[in-house]
């Protein structure tokens, strides 16, 4: 098989990939609480899995390589529930900057930052908006459940997209590491939930709040509707959707300056 994992390639092979204008996918995740039934690695494991499955589909048509997942991000809103490691924004920005600069110095020019954690989304847009013109490279950012929303929604029973430790995330993790899902504890996940500010007031606003303020269990969504089969269908649909988008020539050829 065509190897897509950066960490499994030798330096000379990566120099060859850069010379061949390979696409680079950089998954960015988090290490944070995911309710009473899931471990804290969810966002990083799912983010890297989506990146690798997407890249393996792309590899049939294009040159591509995937960096190891950046395993921590902006998770202050989960700190009160334990098990969480968070960065502040300057550290997160500089981490992204250093990785991007390293990749670009190796000669790569088509770069996707693939986000797997909701708390990173706004910060990544700010970071890439600042860094792309400075580094003179058209960097593309995907948050995978927003990019693949149209294929995710039909596969879910109780939600319209992926939330947190929810029907979607629990299903996908069940399909990957079922032995780490405490299914007998899922009943503890959908308790003491309150509406969020957006649900009460409407969209187009932002107010920071802790996850604990709207869910004592640290869950948003319905993990009781999860299944391994659903998880595999979700991972397949998401990877196919993202691969189509990343292979779109307009993504890389349209003027950006």
């Amino acid at each position: 098989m065509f190897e897509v994992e950066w960490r499994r390639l030798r330096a000379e092979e990566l120099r060859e990939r850069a010379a061949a204008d390979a696409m680079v996918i950089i998954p960015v995740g988090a290490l944070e609480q995911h309710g009473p039934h899931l471990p804290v690695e969810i966002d990083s494991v799912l983010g890297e899995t989506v990146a690798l499955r997407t890249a393996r589909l792309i590899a049939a048509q294009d040159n591509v390589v995937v960096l190891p997942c950046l395993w921590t991000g902006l998770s202050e809103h989960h700190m009160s529930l334990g098990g969480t490691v968070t960065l502040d924004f300057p550290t997160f920005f500089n981490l992204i900057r250093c990785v991007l600069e390293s990749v670009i110095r190796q000669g790569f020019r088509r770069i996707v930052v693939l986000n797997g954690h909701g708390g990173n989304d706004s910060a990544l847009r700010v970071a890439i908006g600042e860094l792309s013109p400075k580094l003179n490279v058209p960097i593309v950012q995907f948050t995978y459940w927003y990019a693949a929303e149209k294929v995710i929604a039909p596969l879910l029973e109780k939600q319209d997209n992926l939330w947190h430790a929810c029907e979607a995330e629990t299903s996908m993790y069940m399909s990957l590491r079922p032995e780490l899902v405490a299914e007998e504890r899922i009943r503890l996940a959908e308790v003491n939930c309150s509406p969020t500010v957006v649900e009460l007031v409407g969209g187009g606003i932002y107010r920071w709040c802790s996850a604990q303020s709207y869910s004592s269990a640290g869950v948003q969504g319905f993990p009781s509707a999860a299944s391994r089969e659903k998880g595999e269908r979700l991972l397949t649909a998401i990877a196919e959707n993202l691969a189509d988008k990343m292979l779109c020539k307009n993504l890389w050829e349209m003027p950006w300056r």
Side-chain angles (χ1 to χ4, degrees), residues 142-162:
F142 285 78
T143 292
Y144 74 81
W145 59 92
Y146 295 144
E149 183 175 8
K150 288 184 178 180
V151 299
I152 292 173
L155 297 176
L156 300 178
E157 298 172 57
K158 293 190 174 183
Q159 301 173 201
D160 58 8
N161 205 346
L162 182 150

Side-chain angles (χ1 to χ4, degrees), residues 221-232:
F222 302 94
S224 60
S227 72
R228 292 177 68 174
E229 296 74 20
K230 186 181 297 179
E232 186 57 36

Side-chain angles (χ1 to χ4, degrees), residues 159 163-167 189-190 193 219-224:
Q159 301 173 201
W163 298 340
H164 183 78
C166 61
E167 178 183 356
E190 298 175 19
C193 296
V219 173
Q220 188 178 14
F222 302 94
S224 60

Side-chain angles (χ1 to χ4, degrees), residues 37-38 46 49 53 155-157 166-183 186 222-238:
H37 62 297
L38 294 176
L46 295 184
T49 298
R53 289 194 179 203
L155 297 176
L156 300 178
E157 298 172 57
C166 61
E167 178 183 356
E169 285 194 328
T170 302
S171 292
M172 290 190 288
Y173 196 73
M174 276 180 172
S175 75
L176 299 173
R177 298 182 180 176
E179 73 281 2
L180 295 182
V181 180
E183 294 190 46
I186 288 177
F222 302 94
S224 60
S227 72
R228 292 177 68 174
E229 296 74 20
K230 186 181 297 179
E232 186 57 36
R233 292 196 299 271
L234 283 163
L235 287 167
T236 298
I238 291 166

Side-chain angles (χ1 to χ4, degrees), residues 194-207:
S194 302
T196 64
V197 170
V198 170
E199 289 172 322
L200 291 171
V201 180
I205 63 169
Y206 173 75
R207 190 192 73 175

Side-chain angles (χ1 to χ4, degrees), residues 120-132:
N120 296 339
D121 186 63
S122 296
L124 282 172
R125 292 190 182 199
V126 171
I128 290 167
E130 179 152 332
L131 291 170
S132 193

